[in-house]
Amino acid sequence: MKRLLIRAGVALALLTSSVLVASPASAGIIIFDPPPTDEISIQLVAMAGSGCAPGTADVAISPDHSAFTAIYSAYLAQAGPNVPVTENRKNCQLNVLVNAPSGYTFAIAKVDYRGYGFLQRGATAQQRANYYFQGMTVGSYANHAIAAPLDDNWIATDEVPIASQVFRPCGEQRNLNINTELRVTRGTSTDVSYLTMDSTDGSIETVYHFSWLRCR
């Protein structure tokens, strides 16, 4: 497997009332704040799913406090002859607590996914993901079809429209839920196909960059 790195861009959003949502009408003037200088910590509260069995995922904050990294050690979906149908779809939900300094909030607006795929002609595959704060609207998944045939890296980008970008409500400690999924179907192919978020050393790093705003 090849070394895979996933990076996310910065969010574009405005504060509006206690629930922080971008406003298209006023999105022409956006002033972001630098990351807090106080200590920021990330805690993986819970994880569940066939793509991240207990002990196979973790998170860490970047040194500059601008991002956090989700690290996986086992995440692969496959389909084909003699492959159980339970292997066709793998998913992972991470429940993450971001301990940010008082008076700051953050959002995620873009994530670039990269992985490796070996897809036979006639097979189909897709990657999907969504992100939401605990107690808020789950929202729809972003779906990305991965074209076959393929024997190479693949890339998919999630970009949240400005009007849909949501910051964590100020003054509230809500966990961030990150849901991802890989799916492979055999289709008309006659051999095994697979899609993975794995690498040569058995880990995949998914970096979600923050956009910081002070609560006003």
Side-chain angles (χ1 to χ4, degrees), residues 17 60 89 127 141 148 160:
S17 69
R89 173 186 174 273
Q127 180 269 339
Y141 274 83
V160 181

Side-chain angles (χ1 to χ4, degrees), residues 13-57:
L14 291 174
L15 296 177
T16 58
S17 69
S18 60
V19 176
L20 307 172
V21 184
S23 170
S26 58
I29 301 175
I30 303 174
I31 301 175
F32 295 107
D33 292 302
T37 56
D38 296 339
E39 185 67 26
I40 300 169
S41 64
I42 298 279
Q43 178 185 354
L44 179 57
V45 178
M47 62 180 175
S50 53
C52 57
T56 67

Side-chain angles (χ1 to χ4, degrees), residues 51-84:
C52 57
T56 67
D58 203 354
V59 298
I61 191 73
S62 66
D64 65 356
H65 298 166
S66 66
F68 71 88
T69 303
I71 303 171
Y72 304 93
S73 61
Y75 204 153
L76 179 147
Q78 57 183 329
N82 303 316
V83 175

Side-chain angles (χ1 to χ4, degrees), residues 120-183:
Q120 302 284 346
R121 189 177 301 276
T124 62
Q126 69 172 331
Q127 180 269 339
R128 23 184 358 235
N130 76 344
Y131 324 93
Y132 64 96
F133 288 105
Q134 189 174 24
M136 302 180 74
T137 303
V138 173
S140 60
Y141 274 83
N143 295 282
H144 303 282
I146 312 297
L150 177 68
D151 184 8
D152 204 347
N153 293 316
W154 56 268
I155 184 170
T157 300
D158 291 346
E159 290 191 77
V160 181
I162 290 177
S164 302
Q165 293 171 7
V166 179
F167 281 73
R168 186 174 69 180
C170 283
E172 298 184 21
Q173 189 69 293
R174 299 193 186 193
N175 293 359
L176 175 65
N177 289 303
I178 303 169
N179 298 298
T180 57
E181 177 183 309
L182 297 179
R183 187 186 297 264

Side-chain angles (χ1 to χ4, degrees), residues 78-83 88 118-125 148-150 184-194:
Q78 57 183 329
N82 303 316
V83 175
N88 296 176
F118 183 78
L119 304 176
Q120 302 284 346
R121 189 177 301 276
T124 62
L150 177 68
V184 179
T185 56
R186 180 178 176 180
T188 59
S189 65
T190 59
D191 207 344
V192 174
S193 296
Y194 64 86

